[in-house]
Amino acid sequence: MNKAIITVLGADRVGIIAAVSTYLAAKNVNILDISQTTMQDVFTMIMMVDTSNSNENFDVLYTDFKKMSEELGVQIQIQAADIFNSMHKI
C-alpha cells in the first residue's frame, strides 16, 4: 500500500471537499481516513489516502494539487506518509 497524507488549509468556502474527493476518485486514489473541521472561517482537512492503484504517478498528483490550490484559494499539500510521519515524529 502506498499511503500519502493530504492537507488542506484556507478560508472556508463551498466545494472544497467535493473538489478534492472528486479529483481523487478520478485518479483512482482511495481515501482511507479523513478529518475535517472549520474553526470560525478557517477550513482544515487532513486525509490519508492510498495511491497504490492510481492512474497517475505521485509527481502528477503533487502538481495537480498545486494548481487546485490556486483555483480554490486554499493551500493543498500531498506528501508520502513515510515522509510526513518522519517530519512529525508519528
Side-chain angles (χ1 to χ4, degrees), residues 8-14 16 36-45 72-75:
V8 183
L9 178 66
D12 190 28
R13 65 183 286 271
V14 172
I16 297 171
Q36 174 273 319
T37 192
T38 304
M39 299 177 354
Q40 294 184 8
D41 291 331
V42 178
F43 176 85
T44 62
M45 179 169 65
L72 295 174
V74 296
Q75 181 183 22

Side-chain angles (χ1 to χ4, degrees), residues 1-26:
M1 186 177 305
N2 294 326
K3 291 182 183 177
I5 305 296
I6 299 170
T7 58
V8 183
L9 178 66
D12 190 28
R13 65 183 286 271
V14 172
I16 297 171
I17 296 172
V20 174
S21 59
T22 298
Y23 172 81
L24 293 172

